[in-house]
Amino acid sequence: EDLVCFRDIRPGAPLHYLVVPVEHMGNCKTLKAEHIPVVKRMMEVGKAVLQRNNFSDLNDVRMGFHWPPFCSISHLHLHVLAPASQLGFLSRLVYRINSYWFIT
């Protein structure tokens, strides 16, 4: 009821979803300590959607946010990609763990 999840229109992995809060939230730079429960719930929803789509290896998942100015929209959205081991060359760069443009 407070989050929506849908497939990314330009998937970077065989399974690539976006988990988005219904209530407007800026981007990951606007997050504060009070938002920790929302982010945790976003991650739980991402894992649940993967499991509903017959993906069970939760150790082979990449989740994170694009760091401004590298996000295309100014509404918080969590990228959920799986299997992370099957990310292509460009996707490995775009969704690189804790890089200048993508934080996990």
Side-chain angles (χ1 to χ4, degrees):
E1 59 196 52
D2 59 337
L3 299 172
V4 293
C5 182
F6 49 90
R7 288 186 178 273
D8 192 294
I9 60 171
R10 290 187 312 192
L15 298 173
H16 186 168
Y17 297 97
L18 299 175
V19 181
V20 183
V22 172
E23 179 182 322
H24 179 72
M25 296 178 75
N27 56 48
C28 56
K29 278 191 172 182
T30 66
L31 293 173
K32 297 180 169 78
E34 65 206 43
H35 297 117
I36 290 172
V38 173
V39 173
K40 284 183 177 181
R41 180 139 159 64
M42 291 171 77
M43 294 176 67
E44 290 169 8
V45 167
K47 290 176 186 176
V49 169
L50 291 174
Q51 290 173 322
R52 274 190 240 135
N53 285 279
N54 300 317
F55 186 81
S56 58
D57 185 3
L58 297 180
N59 293 315
D60 195 14
V61 174
R62 177 137 334 144
M63 292 189 200
F65 302 98
H66 279 113
W67 196 251
F70 301 101
C71 30
S72 56
I73 61 167
S74 61
H75 186 97
L76 189 70
H77 56 286
L78 175 72
H79 289 267
V80 180
L81 301 106
S85 59
Q86 291 184 25
L87 289 170
F89 176 75
L90 285 177
S91 293
R92 286 181 195 271
L93 293 174
V94 172
Y95 302 102
R96 192 171 134 214
I97 296 173
N98 296 329
S99 61
Y100 181 70
W101 52 86
F102 188 75
I103 59 167
T104 55

